[in-house]
Amino acid sequence: MIDYKSLIASKINCPLPQADLVNLITETADDSFGDYSFPCFRLAKEMRMSPVAIAQKIAGEVVLDDVVVKVQPVNGYVNFFVDRVGAIKEVLSDVQSAGCHYGESNVGNGKTICIDYSSVNICKSFHIGHLSTTAIGSALYKLYTALGYKVVGINHLGDYGTQFGKMIVAFKLWGDRTTAEREGVKELQRLYVKFHQEEVEHPELTDQAREWFVRIEKGDAEAQELFEFFKQITLAEVKEIYKRLNVTFDSWNGESFFNDKMDKPLQMLKDKGLVTESQGAQVVDLSDHKMPPCLLVKSDGSSLYATRDIAAAVWRKQEYDFDKCLYVVAYQQNLHFKQFFKVLELADLPWAKDLVHVAYGMVSLEDGAMSTRKGNVVLLKDVIDKAVEKSMEIISSKNPDLPNKQTVAEQVGVGAVLFSALENAKIKDITFTFDRVLNFDGETAPYLQYTHARCNSILEKATNRGNADYNALDDIETMRLAKLIRQFPQAVVDSANKYEPSILSALLIDIAQAFNKFYIEHRVLTDDLGATSARLQVVEATEIVLKKGLSLLGIQAPEKM
Ligand code: ARG
């Protein structure tokens, strides 16, 4: 690929070093002012001239060639125009030669990234609060994989805690296996809610729950068996959803996996003099770092969420020797991650700096937030089902004769739901509305899928092709589209490095919009076979990039819609 910025920098005669020039050159926001722009303001002092005069001087000295074809000084900027057809041809050939691997690279070869994401809780429903971690984590998984990293996807199951003692008591009193197997997590939730209601009048239930919890911890056969039963019921449902979302994991080691792996790290922290006693509990004091203490062992001897996360981090480092370990978890847990990262840092573990909390904002539905205790949760499954159902309605009215309507509706509905968690900077709180995420003309997954399908249908209709006449592509719409496609590989890198799939989502929307403008302005299939063939290459490149981009976000691209 031509490195335009370096090439242009080499043509600028001024006292700044080449590297600085490259950094100062930007792509112009308004392409009527050229393709690249160099601001002269920083040079004014050194050259003892006004920026306007400097721009004129530099522009006058530029030697043009067949790549940089025009230069223009404008108000302290030097604007450069590159050869359009050459630039467009280059992008097309890059995409053609990479094909479905466009955007991939090997920058990550030899490096390992652990991604802790989705991390659902046993006996709790898979609700919309877990959508973002699932969608963002899975997209990061695919992005890093495309960049050549070895990626380990971890579902750090919430499968430990006193709530499982409560579940056993509730199940033994009011539940039965047949109902639980038939109704699934909904039934487990019903029992859990009932426990909390009954507990108010019958405090002895609390003691029984505590006893059952101790029995789980001690490995008592009956307790273990019941816990496994709850776990299987939950996982069966959750895996059904992962399958629909096209989300996978390499490890399901959750909190309970670390039951027997906490002593060593605890001892290590003690040996380093970090652990102090506070009201019978063992803590790491973090007051020097302006945080409340990190609680490691309660006065009754039981461990905590942080203890398990510390043990998990140590274990993952040993097991995978990661270069980075990401935790895709809501910002509500900011303090938890800051605390346990700090504890590991204070323990002088050099890799503590490689732990990253990838925080994201809350998703709510129009009718307000939700809470598990009260039982009024919004299930992710219900959201997906409704999105698929609505997609079906839209598709049926737009294209009643489409074959495999149900499959396409599933791909569109699921895509719309996933994209809603990937389209904005992840830290933003978002409100999910069906009408918005399913708007085929909006900034949505269905819009991308629809544009992709439109590309396919054009390609399908193309029967006659001649030798491409690239000069037919010498227009602003094609150039804009080509420039955006050119940004794709860098957007993949940036999305991964900044843990921000929305960089890629935004580019895909721009590409789809630019394609649709191109398509409105220029007839693709005409009698001019040279022009037709050249434009078909533009359509093909767009098709490849949209499909690849969607797949990196975990979204399918139906051939027809
Ligand atoms: N299960 C937790 C929750 O639903 C998320 C766990 C995140 N991962 C971790 N290693 N703490 O809130």
Side-chain angles (χ1 to χ4, degrees):
M1 250 210 297
I2 299 179
D3 182 351
Y4 287 104
K5 287 188 183 175
S6 296
L7 179 67
I8 289 168
S10 74
K11 293 176 180 291
I12 296 175
N13 178 22
C14 81
L16 284 179
Q18 182 81 11
D20 289 6
L21 294 178
V22 173
N23 285 331
L24 284 171
I25 296 169
T26 56
E27 288 193 36
T28 53
D30 176 351
D31 49 17
S32 56
F33 288 108
D35 302 299
Y36 292 89
S37 187
F38 173 69
C40 300
F41 307 94
R42 259 189 54 184
L43 291 163
K45 225 175 162 184
E46 206 171 334
M47 293 177 70
R48 294 163 185 273
M49 284 162 79
S50 74
V52 174
I54 297 172
Q56 269 159 3
K57 177 176 179 308
I58 291 177
E61 289 167 358
V62 167
V63 181
L64 299 174
D65 54 25
D66 51 8
V67 177
V68 180
V69 294
K70 185 173 153 193
V71 61
Q72 224 172 32
V74 179
N75 299 332
Y77 289 89
V78 188
N79 294 333
F80 297 86
F81 294 73
V82 303
D83 173 45
R84 240 188 223 165
V85 172
I88 294 168
K89 255 169 85 174
E90 195 196 25
V91 172
L92 294 179
S93 110
D94 281 349
V95 179
Q96 278 157 8
S97 57
C100 65
H101 299 292
Y102 187 58
E104 291 178 13
S105 80
N106 53 15
V107 289
N109 276 7
K111 295 202 188 109
T112 300
I113 304 265
C114 290
I115 311 182
D116 177 325
Y117 66 107
S118 199
S119 300
V120 288
N121 300 316
I122 299 305
C123 293
K124 292 217 181 122
S125 45
F126 198 165
H127 59 90
I128 193 164
H130 276 107
L131 170 62
S132 296
T133 170
T134 308
I136 295 169
S138 164
L140 291 175
Y141 189 104
K142 294 177 204 303
L143 287 161
Y144 276 106
T145 304
L147 295 173
Y149 289 85
K150 174 171 183 267
V151 189
V152 186
I154 304 171
N155 198 321
H156 186 76
L157 296 176
D159 57 1
Y160 175 87
T162 47
Q163 69 270 30
F164 298 107
K166 297 177 190 172
M167 270 307 307
I168 293 183
V169 174
F171 183 77
K172 285 174 89 74
L173 283 173
W174 312 297
D176 69 88
R177 284 183 196 249
T178 328
T179 317
E181 270 158 9
R182 192 185 58 233
E183 301 289 323
V185 179
K186 199 171 100 201
E187 167 69 0
L188 302 181
Q189 281 290 297
R190 182 188 72 81
L191 294 170
Y192 191 64
V193 171
K194 187 167 168 72
F195 182 93
H196 283 281
Q197 288 161 349
E198 298 283 330
E199 197 185 22
V200 183
E201 307 242 318
H202 306 280
E204 69 278 7
L205 291 176
T206 317
D207 299 325
Q208 289 173 19
R210 205 170 293 134
E211 280 161 32
W212 274 106
F213 174 59
V214 173
R215 287 175 68 174
I216 299 178
E217 284 216 287
K218 291 207 170 118
D220 168 273
E222 187 185 355
Q224 278 291 329
E225 197 276 328
L226 280 168
F227 172 72
E228 271 310 309
F229 176 69
F230 301 150
K231 185 163 167 174
Q232 288 324 316
I233 286 186
T234 315
L235 287 185
E237 262 178 52
V238 164
K239 285 184 178 175
E240 201 59 46
I241 295 177
Y242 289 141
K243 209 164 110 194
R244 293 178 77 182
L245 297 178
N246 183 18
V247 168
T248 57
F249 299 92
D250 304 295
S251 162
W252 297 79
N253 291 335
E255 294 185 39
S256 71
F257 178 77
F258 299 98
N259 277 347
D260 59 355
K261 297 177 183 62
M262 287 174 285
D263 291 348
K264 262 197 178 164
L266 265 175
Q267 193 55 49
M268 181 263 303
L269 296 177
K270 284 180 187 160
D271 292 345
K272 301 213 171 181
L274 292 169
V275 182
T276 51
E277 285 254 334
S278 164
Q279 297 162 357
Q282 300 178 34
V283 307
V284 176
D285 180 78
L286 294 173
S287 53
D288 283 353
H289 307 280
K290 300 193 173 57
M291 283 187 267
C294 183
L295 207 56
L296 296 178
V297 184
K298 283 198 238 172
S299 53
D300 66 4
S302 57
S303 65
L304 289 109
Y305 185 45
T307 331
R308 283 157 201 281
D309 258 328
I310 288 172
V314 171
W315 187 84
R316 288 175 192 172
K317 183 65 194 175
Q318 269 167 14
E319 182 75 11
Y320 305 116
D321 193 23
F322 57 73
D323 293 89
K324 265 194 187 146
C325 180
L326 314 183
Y327 298 83
V328 187
V329 184
Y331 66 64
Q332 278 91 340
Q333 295 191 30
N334 274 356
L335 179 62
H336 164 72
F337 285 99
K338 269 198 184 147
Q339 284 180 308
F340 95 78
F341 290 177
K342 183 54 88 181
V343 169
L344 293 169
E345 185 193 315
L346 292 173
D348 278 333
L349 298 171
W351 49 267
K353 63 173 187 348
D354 304 322
L355 306 174
V356 183
H357 176 205
V358 178
Y360 61 82
M362 244 180 60
V363 181
S364 48
L365 254 74
E366 286 155 291
D367 13 310
M370 56 244 148
S371 108
T372 326
R373 274 284 173 80
K374 294 192 199 109
N376 59 345
V377 287
V378 180
L379 301 181
L380 188 52
K381 180 180 182 302
D382 293 345
V383 174
I384 297 172
D385 285 346
K386 193 163 170 190
V388 171
E389 194 184 301
K390 283 179 175 275
S391 303
M392 187 66 177
E393 285 166 21
I394 300 172
I395 292 166
S396 301
S397 74
K398 273 187 180 269
N399 190 354
D401 302 327
L402 180 75
N404 309 322
K405 256 189 276 184
Q406 193 56 52
T407 311
V408 175
E410 173 79 15
Q411 294 174 331
V412 172
V414 167
V417 173
L418 282 171
F419 197 78
S420 74
L422 300 169
E423 65 179 325
N424 292 305
K426 61 188 181 299
I427 202 66
K428 270 176 119 181
D429 289 337
I430 53 175
T431 308
F432 181 99
T433 62
F434 287 101
D435 288 343
R436 193 179 55 76
V437 308
L438 286 169
N439 182 351
F440 278 43
D441 302 313
E443 300 186 354
T444 61
Y447 174 67
L448 296 174
Q449 291 169 317
Y450 196 68
T451 306
H452 168 265
R454 168 177 271 178
C455 291
N456 269 324
S457 96
I458 300 168
L459 294 170
E460 201 173 274
K461 281 190 210 121
T463 42
N464 280 332
R465 289 207 195 190
N467 277 334
D469 172 11
Y470 293 104
N471 288 322
L473 304 180
D474 193 358
D475 59 75
I476 202 80
E477 291 80 21
T478 312
M479 183 64 169
R480 283 178 187 159
L481 175 57
K483 276 186 180 176
L484 291 167
I485 293 177
R486 192 176 197 271
Q487 290 173 18
F488 184 80
Q490 190 58 43
V492 174
V493 172
D494 291 345
S495 296
N497 288 347
K498 295 183 181 159
Y499 322 117
E500 193 61 275
S502 65
I503 295 173
L504 181 58
S505 321
L507 179 66
L508 293 179
I509 295 288
D510 288 345
I511 289 174
Q513 288 173 345
F515 174 80
N516 287 314
K517 289 215 179 84
F518 156 86
Y519 187 64
I520 290 170
E521 293 298 326
H522 307 283
R523 285 191 55 195
V524 176
L525 305 174
T526 62
D527 292 339
D528 179 347
L529 289 189
T532 298
S533 169
R535 293 216 174 99
L536 282 170
Q537 291 186 24
V538 176
V539 179
E540 252 159 11
T542 308
E543 190 271 339
I544 289 174
V545 171
L546 287 179
K547 184 171 186 164
K548 181 70 180 182
L550 283 167
S551 93
L552 290 173
L553 298 177
I555 299 172
Q556 309 213 41
E559 298 287 303
K560 288 196 167 84
M561 253 171 91

